[in-house]
Amino acid sequence: MTVIGQYSKRKIRVRNQSFFRRLARQWQLALMSVPIFLYVLLFNYFPMWGWRNAFLDYSSKKLVARGITPYIGWDNFKWLFSRQDFLLSIRNTLAMSIINLVFGTVSAILLAVLLNEVRQRTFKRTVQTVTYLPHFLSMVIIVAMAQNIFASNGPINDLLGLVGIKPVFWLGEGKHFWWLVGIINVWKEVGWGTIIYISAMTAIDPALYEAAAIDGAGRFQKIMHVTLPGIKSTFVILLIMNIGHLMEAGFEIQYLLGNGLTAEYSRTIDVFVLEYGTSQMDFGVATAAGIFKSVVAIILLIGANFISKRLGEETLV
């Protein structure tokens, strides 16, 4: 064995020893993490045993009734990508996820910056409370409110009529569906996302604002050169995590708000899985679609983390 090889082996052994020593010194923290570890193992990793269904044939109801599920390899995946409705569900999922990501991030940062500039504490706390309360409402309630607001005879069309614009069939035209989902998600989650950015802003050293004021910077210049750079690391970490969820545009809002007229734009991968897994009892196809979504999400997360690391920004790992 070469000297370099011996050195590398010794370095790895020392690193492992130091890890176990730290673990032994912090056994209380390790013990506290056991329930979380068991939770993740039980609800996140143990269900992966069901991935084997993606390689079995559930389309023959007679064979399934007799307890026979033939192994068919990658046929379910091949069938998925030959279906136009599945390809449309991928398009819809990505489109709505990107809209939610852009609108949600921009609106949360903008609201956080505006609230950070408010000096009246009562007004600031009132706005914060009002904006994050919708986060705690059920999506069923949110969608019911949206259906009333965007109905043909709803208040939105009434306002459009006052300015001479013809009423819009918001809930029956597919071209509006993605943007409605984006608006609803922003209204529901903007306050909750703002809390994170406001917390990051409180960690900015006040001396930086004082130094900027001495240099003659106004409020807008302080925002551009102190506040936004101060929350950049938080923004990057949240962006990486959100990119990992690009394949999860949602299920409830699309399922509840969608209808036959907008199915071409409202069907996401999760809705597709429900239709084939529950309605048609084809568990192989539904599992294959779920595996595809998970694998793409992992690739996006790792890719975003790698790019951030290469650019010298904050990373998850």
Side-chain angles (χ1 to χ4, degrees), residues 44-88:
N44 292 89
Y45 286 94
F46 182 73
M48 291 176 66
W49 172 253
W51 279 19
R52 62 190 178 87
N53 293 334
F55 306 96
L56 302 176
D57 184 14
Y58 285 89
S59 60
S60 177
K61 301 300 184 287
K62 293 182 179 179
L63 291 177
V64 173
R66 292 162 55 188
I68 302 174
T69 49
Y71 175 79
I72 57 173
W74 297 91
D75 287 355
N76 284 327
F77 292 92
K78 295 177 182 177
W79 183 87
L80 274 178
F81 288 99
S82 67
R83 296 279 303 185
Q84 184 68 18
D85 54 350
F86 180 69
L87 298 178
L88 286 176

Side-chain angles (χ1 to χ4, degrees), residues 232-233 236-237 240 304-315:
K232 185 176 71 169
S233 59
V236 171
I237 292 296
I240 294 173
N305 191 76
F306 175 77
I307 293 173
S308 178
K309 187 175 183 179
R310 294 285 293 183
L311 294 176
E313 300 294 343
E314 297 290 335
T315 60

Side-chain angles (χ1 to χ4, degrees), residues 31-52:
L31 185 63
M32 291 172 61
S33 66
V34 169
I36 304 300
F37 173 76
L38 294 177
Y39 173 85
V40 173
L41 189 67
L42 181 62
F43 292 100
N44 292 89
Y45 286 94
F46 182 73
M48 291 176 66
W49 172 253
W51 279 19
R52 62 190 178 87

Side-chain angles (χ1 to χ4, degrees), residues 8 29 63 107 120 135 175 192 205 209 269 304:
S8 300
L29 296 176
L63 291 177
S107 60
Q120 178 54 251
H135 172 80
K175 62 182 180 181
W192 190 254
D205 189 353
Y209 290 103
I269 296 177

Side-chain angles (χ1 to χ4, degrees), residues 34-306:
V34 169
I36 304 300
F37 173 76
L38 294 177
Y39 173 85
V40 173
L41 189 67
L42 181 62
F43 292 100
N44 292 89
Y45 286 94
F46 182 73
M48 291 176 66
W49 172 253
W51 279 19
R52 62 190 178 87
N53 293 334
F55 306 96
L56 302 176
D57 184 14
Y58 285 89
S59 60
S60 177
K61 301 300 184 287
K62 293 182 179 179
L63 291 177
V64 173
R66 292 162 55 188
I68 302 174
T69 49
Y71 175 79
I72 57 173
W74 297 91
D75 287 355
N76 284 327
F77 292 92
K78 295 177 182 177
W79 183 87
L80 274 178
F81 288 99
S82 67
R83 296 279 303 185
Q84 184 68 18
D85 54 350
F86 180 69
L87 298 178
L88 286 176
S89 70
I90 296 176
R91 180 202 67 177
N92 297 337
T93 301
L94 289 174
M96 283 184 274
S97 293
I98 292 173
I99 290 173
N100 291 337
L101 175 60
V102 174
F103 281 13
T105 302
V106 172
S107 60
I109 293 176
L110 181 61
L111 181 59
V113 169
L114 294 176
L115 289 175
N116 189 57
E117 294 298 314
V118 174
R119 298 293 175 259
Q120 178 54 251
R121 289 189 176 182
T122 302
F123 177 77
K124 181 177 180 179
R125 291 175 179 175
T126 301
V127 172
Q128 281 186 272
T129 303
V130 171
T131 52
Y132 77 67
L133 276 179
H135 172 80
F136 300 98
L137 295 179
S138 167
M139 187 58 76
V140 177
I141 299 175
I142 297 294
V143 171
M145 295 173 62
Q147 287 174 334
N148 290 327
I149 293 172
F150 291 99
S152 298
N153 57 349
I156 297 296
N157 276 331
D158 290 342
L159 290 175
L160 293 177
L162 293 176
V163 295
I165 301 177
K166 294 181 179 180
V168 179
F169 192 17
W170 298 103
L171 303 177
E173 295 182 7
K175 62 182 180 181
H176 303 305
F177 190 86
W178 295 348
W179 305 104
L180 287 178
V181 171
I183 293 171
I184 294 170
N185 274 315
V186 166
W187 177 71
K188 188 176 188 297
E189 302 295 342
V190 64
W192 190 254
T194 301
I195 294 176
I196 300 175
Y197 289 108
I198 289 179
S199 300
M201 290 175 188
T202 58
I204 299 175
D205 189 353
L208 296 175
Y209 290 103
E210 294 174 3
I214 293 173
D215 289 339
R219 276 199 170 188
F220 182 75
Q221 291 174 317
K222 290 179 183 178
I223 292 172
M224 296 301 298
H225 299 289
V226 180
T227 303
L228 294 182
I231 64 172
K232 185 176 71 169
S233 59
T234 303
F235 165 75
V236 171
I237 292 296
L238 291 178
L239 181 62
I240 294 173
M241 296 176 65
N242 288 329
I243 287 177
H245 289 86
L246 276 182
M247 298 302 291
E248 298 180 6
F251 166 75
E252 292 178 322
I253 185 171
Q254 287 83 2
Y255 186 73
L256 296 170
L257 192 64
N259 51 63
L261 298 175
T262 61
E264 186 177 344
Y265 292 85
S266 64
R267 182 186 286 109
T268 61
I269 296 177
D270 291 327
V271 176
F272 182 90
V273 169
L274 176 70
E275 291 177 353
Y276 278 87
T278 303
S279 303
Q280 302 186 27
M281 304 296 286
D282 196 338
F283 304 115
V285 170
T287 306
I291 290 176
F292 167 76
K293 187 186 77 169
S294 300
V295 170
V296 173
I298 293 172
I299 294 173
L300 289 173
L301 180 62
I302 295 174
N305 191 76
F306 175 77

